[in-house]
Amino acid sequence: MLTASPTAVPADIDQFFTENEPRIRGELFDLLRIPSVSARSEHNEDTARTAEWVARSMRDAGLQATVHRTPGHPIVVGEWRGAGSTAPTVLAYGHYDVQPAEPLELWASPPFEPTIRDGRIYARGSVDDKGQLFLHVKALEALLRTRGALPVNVVLLVEGEEEVGSEHLSSFIEANAQLLRADAVVISDSAMFAPGLPSILSSLRGMAYFQIDVQGPSVDLHSGSYGGAVVNPAMALARILATMHDGSGHVAIEGFYDKVVDWGAAARDEIRALPFDEEHFRVETGSPSLGGEAGFSTLERLWMRPTCEINGLLSGYTGEGAKTVLPSKAMAKVSCRLVPDQDPQEIERLLRAHVERYAPKGVSVTVTHLHGGRPWRANLDGPLFDAARRALAAAFGREPVITGEGGSIPVVGDFQRILGAPVLLMGFGLPGENAHAPNEWMSEENFTRGLRAVAMLYQELAVNG
Ligand code: BES
Ligand code: ZN
């Protein structure tokens, strides 16, 4: 049932945000201007600069902050421990790295020049995740400036490799488990189910990402002189990829579903009760029709079923006109989204065995593992989630819904495993926000309300945490 909340955002906090809005927005725009693309080494200086920027912003907010070097991009840790040893400690996680902005020609305004149109802040990273991580820094600043202290101890952990698989983060967490010890973890790196409808996530899919390389002849060959007598690597790769699904959209890798847990009728009923408009979803994608594994609804396919998908394909001649060539090699990027209790390492073994089994003779096929992460599903009981419900209801005037998610945040499983703390995923994106795509945006209204919701969350965690 959706009801207005009896709790309101405290007046002093609300006023702080109202008065400081232009400054906060200006700072966010500065952060969005730095092209911290973690996947490209030519941006290494930008990611390092962004880490320093985030640390400085934490210090300006009144926290202590340190930048930790890793073999990859730096990790920033902010701390405020003035609430005393009996108060709870909250760890907030975010990522300052962004996806590559290409293809640039499809952006209506430059990706690293934030622009407001129709109540939306357009920029690469606006919603994923700079805008959302900044909510936490500014919420803490608001509490510190208006009240002089925070009601809880706080650790902010901000990494620069989330978009490339968080390779160095779990070892950092393991090595610094004492520093990062927390009673609760909060993450704003996801979307609300619909405009005006605040949401708490109960699940994320995991990930197992591979590159498949097929090598045939040592050079490209004339397809007339050699075609039909030399095995074609592009054809070989196509054959291998085609064996990965059956005609009903099930993944056909042997053993792939062995560990998949049935969510049960109650969970499916809850999914069905959400206000989901399938046609609206289709239109948003621009696809002629939706499709997937037989026997499941769209939301079920996205949240509780695993996938194996081609993310990229490369082989042969793809330029203008025709070139009769037998390519010497072919490559595919393939990733599987995983659901509880699938294990990324086991999926890697199964996929390797599958590729080996179906690789035709006459080519050599190699599978390289790129990155992986565990799936996550939580029981949303306890004071952390009650506090989040109150904070979201106060800021949005509406009780939050519980939703699942098809995307992945690899570190979430680690937080639960290494820190033993419950994880709250409370995001402020929206459907159609173009994360990872051209024209990424964050809703201005969600930014404004998100500031208040996050500030109130920290407040509520102290009161009832
Ligand atoms: N913010 C996303 C995670 C996400 C995606 C949350 C969609 C809610 C909806 C995150 O930055 C992301 O994109 N993660 C990657 C992780 C991957 C590189 C392991 C993803 O899901 O592709
Ligand atoms: Zn992302």
Side-chain angles (χ1 to χ4, degrees):
M1 195 177 60
L2 302 174
T3 52
S5 162
T7 332
V9 176
D12 56 339
I13 302 293
D14 191 63
Q15 190 187 343
F16 177 88
F17 287 131
T18 306
E19 286 173 3
N20 288 277
E21 209 235 80
R23 174 181 62 84
I24 291 173
R25 180 187 299 205
E27 290 173 12
L28 172 64
F29 279 25
D30 285 346
L31 174 58
L32 293 173
R33 281 191 191 98
I34 317 178
S36 47
V37 181
S38 51
R40 301 269 161 74
S41 54
E42 71 258 31
H43 285 293
N44 284 358
E45 214 187 290
D46 296 313
T47 53
R49 196 150 54 91
T50 312
E52 293 298 338
W53 193 101
V54 170
R56 200 173 336 110
S57 162
M58 288 178 185
R59 290 184 200 114
D60 291 346
L63 312 179
Q64 289 186 338
T66 43
V67 176
H68 300 257
R69 250 181 282 187
T70 74
H73 303 294
I75 293 171
V76 188
V77 178
E79 289 175 81
W80 193 90
R81 308 233 184 227
S85 56
T86 54
T89 301
V90 180
L91 183 146
Y93 160 88
H95 63 95
Y96 66 77
D97 64 320
V98 301
Q99 289 274 334
E102 289 80 6
L104 299 180
E105 66 277 12
L106 295 185
W107 286 77
S109 51
F112 297 105
E113 190 42 66
T115 308
I116 295 188
R117 290 192 301 275
D118 306 327
R120 297 168 169 185
I121 303 165
Y122 282 90
R124 171 57 88 232
S126 54
V127 71
D128 186 10
D129 174 45
K130 287 172 168 174
Q132 298 203 62
L133 92 85
F134 202 52
L135 295 175
H136 287 262
V137 179
K138 293 293 118 176
L140 295 171
E141 178 185 306
L143 289 166
L144 283 167
R145 294 264 177 92
T146 51
R147 302 182 172 189
L150 299 177
V152 289
N153 298 306
V154 168
V155 181
L156 288 185
L157 175 66
V158 181
E159 70 154 322
E161 299 187 324
E162 197 273 351
E163 298 292 7
V164 287
S166 299
E167 194 186 337
H168 302 102
L169 190 60
S170 38
S171 56
F172 181 83
I173 297 173
E174 253 157 22
N176 295 280
Q178 208 45 41
L179 169 75
L180 303 174
R181 196 200 61 74
D183 301 292
V185 175
V186 180
I187 304 177
S188 299
D189 186 23
S190 53
M192 307 201 315
F193 192 73
L197 187 56
S199 311
I200 297 174
L201 286 195
S202 64
S203 68
L204 290 164
R205 288 195 287 191
M207 166 69 76
Y209 203 131
F210 310 93
Q211 177 167 327
I212 303 175
D213 286 281
V214 179
Q215 180 68 54
S218 55
V219 288
D220 287 1
L221 301 173
H222 190 296
S223 70
S225 311
Y226 298 94
V230 173
V231 178
N232 182 317
M235 297 293 297
L237 180 59
R239 290 183 81 98
I240 294 169
L241 296 174
T243 62
M244 287 191 173
H245 295 84
D246 68 14
S248 311
H250 304 292
V251 176
I253 297 171
E254 204 176 309
F256 189 78
Y257 293 101
D258 284 0
K259 297 279 166 62
V260 173
V261 178
D262 189 306
W263 287 22
R268 281 199 293 274
D269 287 346
E270 277 168 31
I271 293 176
R272 216 171 299 123
L274 286 166
F276 182 65
D277 180 340
E278 186 137 331
E279 178 57 9
H280 181 81
F281 177 84
R282 183 196 68 77
V283 169
E284 209 172 68
T285 67
S287 301
S289 71
L290 299 174
E293 191 182 4
F296 297 92
S297 72
T298 295
L299 289 181
E300 288 171 352
R301 286 169 178 167
L302 290 171
W303 298 349
M304 53 180 227
R305 297 300 293 170
T307 65
C308 232
E309 289 200 288
I310 301 169
N311 298 114
L313 273 176
L314 196 65
S315 187
Y317 182 70
T318 55
E320 192 182 350
K323 180 185 181 192
T324 46
V325 68
L326 192 160
S328 85
K329 55 189 179 192
M331 186 274 277
K333 305 266 186 188
V334 171
S335 69
C336 306
R337 295 276 172 180
L338 310 180
V339 299
D341 284 324
Q342 286 177 302
D343 171 48
Q345 284 178 359
E346 190 178 342
I347 295 299
E348 178 181 351
R349 274 198 304 280
L350 298 176
L351 183 126
R352 283 183 188 282
H354 182 91
V355 170
E356 212 167 287
R357 180 165 160 198
Y358 289 100
K361 289 201 175 59
V363 288
S364 75
V365 181
T366 51
V367 175
T368 311
H369 177 255
L370 298 181
H371 62 66
R374 290 177 174 282
W376 172 82
R377 184 159 182 239
N379 182 356
L380 305 186
D381 286 334
L384 173 64
F385 303 101
D386 294 340
R389 286 190 186 96
R390 288 194 299 275
L392 287 168
F396 286 85
R398 204 165 164 186
E399 291 289 331
V401 289
I402 307 297
T403 69
E405 178 50 63
S408 313
I409 306 177
V411 71
V412 169
D414 290 339
F415 282 136
Q416 214 139 318
R417 183 174 57 85
I418 305 170
L419 303 180
V423 183
L424 163 68
L425 283 134
M426 172 175 121
F428 301 97
L430 281 179
E433 67 198 5
N434 296 328
H436 297 203
N439 302 310
E440 175 180 350
W441 53 270
M442 177 161 188
S443 141
E444 269 191 301
E445 181 181 340
N446 278 17
F447 185 78
T448 304
R449 290 188 190 272
L451 286 168
R452 285 144 174 97
V454 174
M456 225 181 130
L457 174 74
Y458 288 104
Q459 195 63 33
E460 290 291 313
L461 282 172
V463 180
N464 293 301

